[in-house]
Amino acid sequence: MEWQTAVIVVFAAVLAAIGITRYAFYQMTQMKALTYEQTFQAMEQVGLFKQDYFESLPKEEVQITSYDGLKLNGMLIPHPSGSNRFVILVHGYTASLPASIPFMDIFREDGFNTLLIDLRRHGKSEGKYTTYGFHEKHDIDSWIRWIRATYGSDSVVGLHGMSLGGGTVLEYLSLPHTDAAFVIADCPYSDLTRLMYHQMQALNRIPAAVFLPLVDRRLFRKAGFTLNQVSPVRSARYSPVPVMFIHGTRDRYIPTEMSEELFAAKEGMKRLLLVEGASHGNALGVNPELYKKAVQEFVRDVMEGAVPAMQPEQAEELVEEPVQAGLPQPEFNM
């Protein structure tokens, strides 16, 4: 009987391991994304923007094909000045392009055309798995190439990404020929392995040392990449592109110190803004005046060709009393 009990225990443990691994893999790569309407409703509920205002703007829905054959969807909001400045706005995990609307006017006030995109597997874009920048960085490159082919090779293109979008625009910097004027990464992850260890162990109480290697093997088999292949801190370290890092001090999904690590590692032009009291993806909602001012100053400095580094303590001195606002966050939120 003892051997039968042992067999049952082992069998149950194996089934549990398989179940947990599949659950973690699903949460990381295939968690159900919000529809456009759900995203609009969530943002209006917390007061981030009014849908009527967005609907009143001239806009054009555009589609391109990714390097691996997926249809990717975006929406271009042209600036009435006919400027050659563009910014690509990149949303977070389980969201879609409407989630980027609150950031739009920060750039439009300085004459930027804004291109809101659906990352692969989100919104109206095709795709089966989220890969945290492994494939998505090539999609960013494809969008930049589309802008230049459509509006002229002299087009100036900047990138802004939040959470998954922040990690993705930083991963874009690993490509051999980057063509972005600047990158703004809001609450990005510095390294995917360490982020998933944190989210499994600290947020979901799953023994990461046991299950993360199993998840990693499943990622390779199913989605074609490994955790070690995604490391924004490695991608951004030596890039000549100016980068601004933004993070809330109360972010428990992607720890604040990840942006601090990125800022410390990045060589060349850089800035760091820490927003006191902001949770994940919530820096704009908590302190919109500070966020707007810091981003516009950074972009203007880039356009003028001079971007002095701002130390973290200097950024913190600008922070005012926070007002809580933001989108609801799912587990394994990116």
Side-chain angles (χ1 to χ4, degrees):
M1 293 295 293
E2 290 184 1
W3 70 268
Q4 290 177 327
T5 301
V7 169
I8 292 172
V9 169
V10 170
F11 184 69
V14 170
L15 288 180
I18 293 173
I20 292 172
T21 300
R22 287 180 175 176
Y23 167 79
F25 173 80
Y26 169 80
Q27 290 288 93
M28 287 174 58
T29 64
Q30 293 183 294
M31 191 172 178
K32 186 176 180 180
L34 299 175
T35 64
Y36 280 16
E37 189 58 35
Q38 288 171 330
T39 305
F40 278 129
Q41 290 175 356
M43 290 190 297
E44 283 198 320
Q45 286 173 1
V46 297
L48 285 177
F49 91 114
K50 296 294 184 182
Q51 186 172 350
D52 291 344
Y53 163 68
F54 177 71
E55 296 297 343
S56 70
L57 295 173
K59 61 186 69 67
E60 175 190 359
E61 192 166 23
V62 293
Q63 287 82 34
I64 63 172
T65 302
S66 71
Y67 80 105
D68 53 350
L70 299 176
K71 292 181 181 178
L72 303 176
N73 186 72
M75 189 172 292
L76 179 72
I77 296 85
H79 194 271
S81 68
S83 164
N84 72 336
R85 295 182 175 186
F86 292 80
V87 63
I88 301 174
L89 303 178
V90 191
H91 61 78
Y93 187 46
T94 74
S96 53
L97 67 80
S100 298
I101 294 172
F103 303 97
M104 194 172 58
D105 280 351
I106 295 174
F107 301 95
R108 280 177 61 82
E109 287 183 9
D110 280 352
F112 280 84
N113 305 283
T114 50
L115 176 63
L116 287 62
I117 65 170
D118 285 325
L119 287 171
R120 56 174 59 207
R121 202 194 71 82
H122 293 78
K124 298 180 181 180
S125 289
E126 296 179 341
K128 188 173 183 179
Y129 301 110
T130 293
T131 66
Y132 296 91
F134 180 74
H135 288 301
E136 290 87 347
K137 63 178 178 283
H138 298 288
D139 300 339
I140 299 298
D141 184 58
S142 295
W143 281 114
I144 293 177
R145 290 173 182 270
W146 174 81
I147 289 173
R148 292 188 173 279
T150 306
Y151 295 96
S153 59
D154 63 339
S155 298
V156 177
V157 185
L159 304 174
H160 176 287
M162 187 186 75
S163 195
L164 168 63
T168 294
V169 295
L170 291 175
E171 277 294 286
Y172 165 77
L173 298 179
S174 68
L175 296 181
H177 303 291
T178 54
D179 199 12
F182 61 83
V183 165
I184 300 171
D186 186 335
C187 57
Y189 40 94
S190 58
D191 182 82
L192 189 57
T193 302
R194 286 189 284 112
L195 174 65
M196 289 306 163
Y197 189 98
H198 163 76
Q199 293 201 345
M200 290 182 74
Q201 189 76 40
L203 301 187
N204 292 276
R205 301 295 186 267
I206 298 173
V210 175
F211 290 101
L212 199 56
L214 300 177
V215 173
D216 200 25
R217 285 198 288 272
R218 190 171 183 84
L219 283 171
F220 181 70
R221 291 199 312 272
K222 295 288 187 178
F225 77 108
T226 64
L227 295 170
N228 184 58
Q229 290 176 295
V230 179
S231 182
V233 69
R234 187 171 62 220
S235 299
R237 185 184 301 273
Y238 302 115
S239 172
V241 177
V243 180
M244 182 175 189
F245 306 99
I246 302 173
H247 224 109
T249 61
R250 296 183 183 176
D251 193 335
R252 70 188 187 95
Y253 287 97
I254 301 179
T256 308
E257 52 264 32
M258 287 200 157
S259 276
E260 295 176 309
E261 176 193 2
L262 284 158
F263 177 79
K266 171 74 170 73
E267 295 187 354
M269 301 177 181
K270 60 182 177 180
R271 284 187 184 167
L272 172 64
L273 174 66
L274 302 179
V275 179
E276 187 65 38
S279 58
H280 184 65
N282 205 16
L284 178 64
V286 165
N287 203 324
E289 292 183 4
L290 173 65
Y291 195 107
K292 175 181 176 181
K293 178 177 182 289
V295 168
Q296 288 184 338
E297 286 181 353
F298 171 73
V299 173
R300 289 166 188 170
D301 284 346
V302 170
M303 296 295 101
E304 293 169 4
V307 186
M310 177 183 283
Q311 297 301 321
E313 60 270 18
Q314 292 176 296
E316 289 179 321
E317 287 174 1
L318 300 174
V319 176
E320 301 174 358
E321 189 67 24
V323 178
Q324 291 296 334
L327 291 171
Q329 306 296 338
E331 293 179 345
F332 282 90
N333 183 286
M334 296 301 298

